[in-house]
Amino acid sequence: MEKRNAHVYDDESLALTGRVLDMNPEFYTMWNFRHEILHTMLQSASSDEEKKQKLLDELSFTEKAIAQNPKVYIVWHHRRWVLKQLGGSYGRELALCAKFLTMDDRNFHCWGHRKQVAQWAEKTVADELAFTLEKVNQNFSNYSAWHYRSVLLSNTFEREDQGNQALLHELELVKQAFYTEPEDQSAWLYLRWLLRGGAGDIQDILRAQLAVCDELLELESDDSKWALLMSVFILRSLGDPEEWVNDMLERLKRVDPARKNYYADLMHTKSQRRIKSVTFQGGIPSLEEGCCQ
C-alpha cells in the first residue's frame, strides 16, 4: 500500500495489484487502487490505440477474476467501468454474460451486469423478454430470470391496450412452470406479482387462477403446499367465506407441519391479515394484502 499512499500509478503498481487480486479477488481496496492506476494511465496515454489496448487487457483480467469467483460485487462494478471507457459494440459482452449464466443461471451479479449492458446496447424489451423466456424454460426455478421478466413487463402492464394480453400470456407461462415443478416456489412468487400487475377484470382473473389451483391440487392429491397457499391468497382477495380459507389452512398444517403455527396464526388473525380490498389505479389492479407473506 506504500505505492498507493505515494500515488505511484505505473506499470509496476498495476502488476502488483494483479498478483494480489489473482490470490484474492475480493480485496476491494486493491481494486480501487487498480482503478486509480488505470484512470491515470488512460489520461496520459499517447494514443487512442494505447488506451484501447489497456482497456482490452483489463477486460481479460476481470474475466479471469469472474471465472475464479463470479459473485464479487466490485469485480463486476470494475468491469462495467472498463466497458464504459471502451465504448463501442457490446455484443461480445452479452455473449459472455450468456456463457456465465449457463454456468450459474441464478447469479444475480451477472444478471444485474447484463441488464446494464443490454441498456447500453439498446436492446429492446422484446429482445430481453426472449432471453428471459429462454432461461426460464431451461430452469423454472430461475428466480433472477423471473424477476428480470417482471421488471421488463411492468411498463407493459401500465398500458391497457397491451396489459391484458401480456398478462394472459404470462399466466399461461407460469402455469406451465408450476404444473411441471409444483413445489418450486419461484413460479408461485411470480404469479403473486402477476395478480397485482395486469389490466382487465381482476375478479375473473382471480377466479380462473383459483380453478387452476384446484385442478393442480386434484393432480397432486392435495399435497401441493404452494397451491394451497395461493388459494388462501386468492380466496381472501375475493372475500369468499372465511370457512373456505380455514379449510385450506387446516390442510396446510397437515401438508407443511413445520409451519403449522404460522398457518394457525393466519386463521386467528384473519381480520388483520386478509386482503382489504381490490382497487384500480389507471386500470391496474392493486391488491392491498397482508396474508401469505
Side-chain angles (χ1 to χ4, degrees):
M1 298 307 295
E2 291 180 3
K3 285 183 173 290
R4 188 186 190 191
N5 293 335
H7 304 290
V8 179
Y9 303 133
D10 57 11
D11 288 333
E12 183 181 4
S13 297
L14 190 66
L16 283 171
T17 63
R19 288 199 290 273
V20 173
L21 291 169
D22 280 340
M23 293 184 289
N24 179 15
E26 298 184 66
F27 198 156
Y28 279 52
T29 302
M30 203 58 61
W31 281 109
N32 287 330
F33 184 27
R34 192 172 180 86
H35 176 99
E36 293 168 5
I37 296 168
L38 283 167
H39 181 71
T40 301
M41 286 182 166
L42 293 176
Q43 287 185 323
S44 60
S46 59
S47 67
D48 289 341
E49 189 59 34
E50 179 187 352
K51 182 186 295 187
K52 181 179 179 180
Q53 190 57 54
K54 286 188 179 299
L55 291 168
L56 289 174
D57 290 344
E58 192 64 8
L59 282 181
S60 296
F61 181 76
T62 56
E63 185 174 338
K64 288 189 296 183
I66 290 169
Q68 181 180 350
N69 189 338
K71 296 186 178 181
V72 180
Y73 285 97
I74 196 166
V75 182
W76 293 101
H77 178 77
H78 184 75
R79 186 174 180 85
R80 280 193 293 279
W81 175 77
V82 174
L83 283 168
K84 196 63 176 174
Q85 303 305 307
L86 188 60
S89 173
Y90 296 102
R92 182 184 180 280
E93 190 68 13
L94 290 171
L96 185 63
C97 289
K99 174 185 173 182
F100 281 127
L101 289 174
T102 299
M103 294 184 286
D104 181 2
D105 58 10
R106 288 167 56 168
N107 183 352
F108 67 86
H109 300 271
C110 188
W111 276 101
H113 178 76
R114 190 191 181 285
K115 179 183 176 184
Q116 180 62 74
V117 174
Q119 290 176 356
W120 292 340
E122 298 182 348
K123 286 287 186 180
T124 66
V125 171
D127 290 336
E128 292 300 272
L129 283 173
F131 181 77
T132 60
L133 181 60
E134 176 187 343
K135 304 311 289 184
V136 164
N137 284 333
Q138 290 172 358
N139 178 11
F140 283 134
S141 189
N142 193 330
Y143 288 82
S144 296
W146 287 117
H147 173 70
Y148 187 28
R149 198 166 181 84
S150 72
V151 172
L152 293 166
L153 285 167
S154 293
N155 290 336
T156 301
F157 284 165
E158 292 179 5
R159 298 185 54 180
E160 291 189 51
D161 60 331
Q162 297 180 3
N164 195 49
Q165 182 179 359
L167 175 60
L168 293 176
H169 177 272
E170 294 304 297
L171 289 173
E172 183 59 33
L173 174 63
V174 81
K175 177 182 176 181
Q176 295 175 24
F178 53 67
Y179 266 64
T180 303
E181 299 179 24
E183 294 312 306
D184 185 274
Q185 68 176 336
S186 57
W188 293 104
L189 294 176
Y190 186 65
L191 177 59
R192 287 280 303 279
W193 175 79
L194 286 174
L195 296 181
R196 302 190 197 115
D201 190 336
I202 190 64
Q203 297 279 336
D204 289 346
I205 290 170
L206 289 173
R207 291 287 179 198
Q209 293 310 301
L210 186 59
V212 169
C213 291
D214 289 342
E215 182 180 354
L216 186 59
L217 287 168
E218 289 182 11
L219 293 173
E220 295 294 317
S221 301
D222 284 354
D223 288 339
S224 176
K225 163 190 165 181
W226 292 103
L228 288 167
L229 202 54
M230 181 57 66
S231 296
V232 171
F233 171 79
I234 294 174
L235 287 169
R236 282 191 167 163
S237 298
L238 293 167
D240 282 354
E242 197 62 30
E243 55 266 27
W244 297 359
V245 175
N246 289 341
D247 176 65
M248 294 290 180
L249 291 170
E250 288 292 349
R251 290 156 70 181
L252 274 164
K253 288 182 191 180
R254 295 192 296 272
V255 171
D256 186 22
R259 296 171 183 81
K260 63 181 180 181
N261 291 334
Y262 169 66
Y263 302 129
D265 184 59
L266 287 182
M267 293 174 67
H268 295 131
T269 57
K270 58 181 178 296
S271 60
Q272 287 80 20
R273 294 183 177 273
R274 69 178 297 165
I275 294 173
K276 300 172 186 176
S277 62
V278 179
T279 59
F280 291 83
Q281 299 172 352
I284 306 169
S286 173
L287 302 182
E288 300 176 18
E289 59 178 296
C291 75
C292 315
Q293 300 200 26

